[in-house]
Amino acid sequence: MKPRFEQGYWLVLEVVVGIAMAFLLLPLIFVALNSIGPAGLAYFPPPEFSISSYTTIPVKWLWSTLAAIGLGLSSTAGGAVLGTLAALALARGGLRARGLVESLCRSPLQIPSLVLGVAFLQFYSWAALSGGPDLRGSYMGLAIAHTAVATPFVMVVVLARLKKFDWYLEEAAQGLGASPMQTFVMVTLPIIAPAVLSGCFFAFLLSIDNVPLSLFLVGAGQPLLPVDLFNSIQFDLTRTVYAVSTIVSAITTVVVATAFRRLTSVFAASG
């Protein structure tokens, strides 16, 4: 009786998961199908098969993509440094209000990106009117905002790894004559590196596709892929937009799959 129950349970589970996956993937399939019709305004289904929307992609989309990748890499690098340092401070700093500080550091994860975008815009405006630097519409302003959102992703993952860290390894290294910096570089960092890479990976994906945060901070004429796609969908929904979206989705899928396999092997090797 038990084997039949288990078979029925797994069958129901597979059906539910299959329905959920189909519901999530069908919009992506519609995007890909909409990209293979004749150039011009997009409507479904396409009247005929054509790849003209792929062969006529303007150069501006390339610059927008490169700008989004550059912004994602810079904010991820800043988030990696700040997030790792924050995790170390929370794990070893002996802070009195550790719970409060950790909650404040995690707050960008709970606040909607739309609200953060408006808040950063208001903050930049206040800073400019108060005699400070005017970061409105600048790349530096975008990078700071994206770094503020990327930092908690790295911090949370690294902090979880540090809670299981054997601190006697550091004591052993220092007992053998290693300085605190040498201990961190040669002992601590290699052990927490998989966690840092995982946090950076999620932070980069969030940054490269964060429309609400970038929408309020990007400057006029400043290329940025997610914002350009959003504006094109609103005012000029052609099949070129679907073609660019399909290419980005395909590349992202390959990158995610490759990174997942690599991170899985790194975690397995680190024990």
Side-chain angles (χ1 to χ4, degrees):
M1 190 68 182
K2 186 176 179 180
R4 291 184 179 179
F5 173 78
E6 290 182 355
Q7 291 177 1
Y9 169 79
W10 288 112
L11 178 61
V12 172
L13 185 61
E14 291 175 357
V15 171
V16 172
V17 171
I19 294 174
M21 292 298 297
F23 182 78
L24 294 174
L25 294 177
L26 278 176
L28 298 179
I29 295 175
F30 273 83
V31 170
L33 292 177
N34 246 332
S35 68
I36 58 175
L41 293 177
Y43 54 91
F44 190 85
E48 60 183 19
F49 176 81
S50 175
I51 60 171
S52 58
S53 58
Y54 287 91
T55 58
T56 57
I57 296 177
V59 181
K60 69 172 186 177
W61 293 108
L62 175 61
W63 298 119
S64 298
T65 304
L66 293 178
I69 293 175
L71 177 62
L73 291 176
S74 60
S75 61
T76 301
V81 175
L82 295 176
T84 302
L85 293 178
L88 288 170
L90 290 171
R92 304 192 62 185
L95 301 175
R96 294 182 180 179
R98 180 182 178 278
L100 177 61
V101 174
E102 183 177 350
S103 299
L104 289 175
C105 292
R106 290 174 181 260
S107 59
L109 299 178
Q110 282 79 41
I111 300 175
S113 297
L114 187 66
V115 178
L116 282 176
V118 176
F120 269 104
L121 179 60
Q122 292 178 335
F123 172 70
Y124 291 161
S125 300
W126 172 81
L129 294 175
S130 301
D134 189 0
L135 298 175
R136 293 171 295 182
S138 66
Y139 180 85
M140 181 61 67
L142 268 174
I144 292 174
H146 279 247
T147 301
V149 177
T151 299
F153 280 89
V154 181
M155 185 200 73
V156 169
V157 181
V158 175
L159 185 58
R161 181 65 182 90
L162 288 174
K163 289 181 178 179
K164 299 180 180 180
F165 188 85
D166 186 2
W167 300 108
Y168 288 110
L169 296 174
E170 288 190 347
E171 295 181 3
Q174 293 178 5
L176 293 173
S179 65
M181 180 58 68
Q182 289 176 329
T183 301
F184 175 76
V185 173
M186 302 179 65
V187 178
T188 308
L189 188 58
I191 295 176
I192 66 174
V196 176
L197 292 176
S198 299
C200 290
F201 178 66
F202 289 111
F204 177 76
L205 290 182
L206 177 70
S207 174
I208 204 172
D209 194 35
N210 199 328
V211 177
L213 183 62
S214 303
L215 191 61
F216 294 94
L217 303 176
V218 68
Q222 186 177 1
L224 198 63
L225 180 63
V227 177
D228 288 349
L229 283 174
F230 178 79
N231 292 331
S232 297
I233 291 172
Q234 282 190 311
F235 305 109
D236 188 24
L237 184 57
T238 62
R239 296 198 190 278
T240 303
V241 176
Y242 285 101
V244 173
S245 301
T246 303
I247 294 174
V248 171
S249 298
I251 295 175
T252 304
T253 301
V254 174
V255 170
V256 169
T258 304
F260 181 78
R261 291 187 58 185
R262 178 58 180 168
L263 290 174
T264 301
S265 62
V266 170
F267 273 114
S270 63

